[in-house]
Amino acid sequence: KAGVTQTPRYLIKTRGQQVTLSCSPISGHRSVSWYQQTPGQGLQFLFEYFSETQRNKGNFPGRFSGRQFSNSRSEMNVSTLELGDSALYLCASSFFQGNSPLHFGNGTRLTVT
Amino acid sequence: DAKTTQPNSMESNEEEPVHLPCNHSTISGTDYIHWYRQLPSQGPEYVIHGLTSNVNNRMASLAIAEDRKSSTLILHRATLRDAAVYYCILRDGVNAGGTSYGKLTFGQGTILTVHP
């Protein structure tokens, strides 16, 4: 069974640009969550999607957005990039049930210069 | 979200058991105790979870105190591949459906070093 796939693996962007990251969940998983990981703040929840609807959102500015498609694949977008957006962005998928474990991809490493 | 407290780091020797502690004195009755680990250059990986009773799976065992205010993740025979950051997380297994199944609150975790 294929795991969670995130593309691209590495990305370098310039301040002020925008970026789109992609996540393909495990087959059958309909919930997709996004996390940001930085050395200073650790792992922080960005948002979660289920059935193409955002179910929950973390404490991030509106420059961070996402969407989910009918096949459960998800994208997140960051507009007007800032240097502080440099981070590892992780996607996780799960069944939409109380204690279903999250399955994480290996992330997209974004560097903003 | 209820908070957990873990030691910053622990060390072990290969093929010895490792006991990773976690304190969660404000745990509520509907909180499950979850453990994830993150190996270098990878995303977090689910290890185990439990509510009240001790749990075992192929990766580890979870021992939960009777008052549920603490728990211990047990790796029975550490290998070099077990070197990772281990996160203890409380997750509301009953009420999460009303808000989010995908939101986990990660702390700083315990960095486990395994010596050959």
Side-chain angles (χ1 to χ4, degrees):
Chain A
K1 197 174 186 181
V4 176
T5 304
Q6 292 189 245
T7 55
R9 191 71 198 275
Y10 300 93
L11 206 49
I12 300 175
K13 289 287 188 178
T14 303
R15 199 168 35 176
Q17 289 185 314
Q18 74 165 13
V19 67
T20 299
L21 312 181
S22 180
C23 172
S24 293
I26 290 173
S27 178
H29 287 186
R30 297 172 61 195
S31 170
V32 174
S33 303
W34 288 89
Y35 288 78
Q36 181 195 66
Q37 186 171 28
T38 60
Q41 299 298 317
L43 277 151
Q44 292 186 287
F45 172 77
L46 278 158
F47 29 64
E48 178 187 15
Y49 286 85
F50 175 75
S51 290
E52 303 176 63
T53 301
Q54 188 180 92
R55 299 290 172 153
N56 203 351
K57 189 176 191 305
N59 190 24
F60 280 83
R63 299 184 298 105
F64 291 82
S65 64
R67 61 176 175 168
Q68 186 180 34
F69 302 95
S70 58
N71 61 359
S72 295
R73 192 176 68 84
S74 178
E75 291 181 345
M76 68 163 282
N77 184 277
V78 187
S79 62
T80 319
L81 284 165
E82 301 177 359
L83 296 178
D85 297 333
S86 294
L88 180 67
Y89 289 88
L90 292 156
C91 166
S93 73
S94 71
F95 292 110
F96 201 65
Q97 297 171 10
N99 277 298
S100 298
L102 269 60
H103 298 263
F104 285 83
N106 287 328
T108 294
R109 172 74 63 185
L110 172 65
T111 302
V112 182
T113 62
Chain B
D1 293 323
K3 186 177 170 56
T4 63
T5 304
Q6 300 177 250
N8 290 333
S9 63
M10 292 186 65
E11 297 186 19
S12 174
N13 294 318
E14 203 173 8
E15 297 190 5
E16 290 184 354
V18 181
H19 290 233
L20 296 164
C22 180
N23 287 317
H24 28 77
S25 59
T26 59
I27 191 170
S28 75
T30 55
D31 282 336
Y32 282 71
I33 302 156
H34 287 247
W35 284 82
Y36 283 75
R37 71 180 185 180
Q38 187 172 20
L39 282 65
S41 303
Q42 293 187 24
E45 174 187 32
Y46 166 79
V47 178
I48 199 168
H49 76 273
L51 182 63
T52 56
S53 304
N54 294 345
V55 184
N56 300 294
N57 66 19
R58 63 175 179 82
M59 291 181 68
S61 295
L62 176 60
I64 301 172
E66 199 168 331
D67 63 4
R68 301 209 325 124
K69 293 185 176 181
S70 65
S71 62
T72 302
L73 179 71
I74 303 167
L75 307 178
H76 295 286
R77 290 184 67 209
T79 69
L80 297 178
R81 294 186 67 239
D82 291 322
V85 180
Y86 286 78
Y87 297 97
C88 171
I89 299 165
L90 299 183
R91 191 179 187 197
D92 190 332
V94 174
N95 299 314
T99 54
S100 171
Y101 291 109
K103 180 181 179 183
L104 298 178
T105 301
F106 288 85
Q108 294 304 306
T110 297
I111 300 171
L112 175 65
T113 301
V114 180
H115 299 288

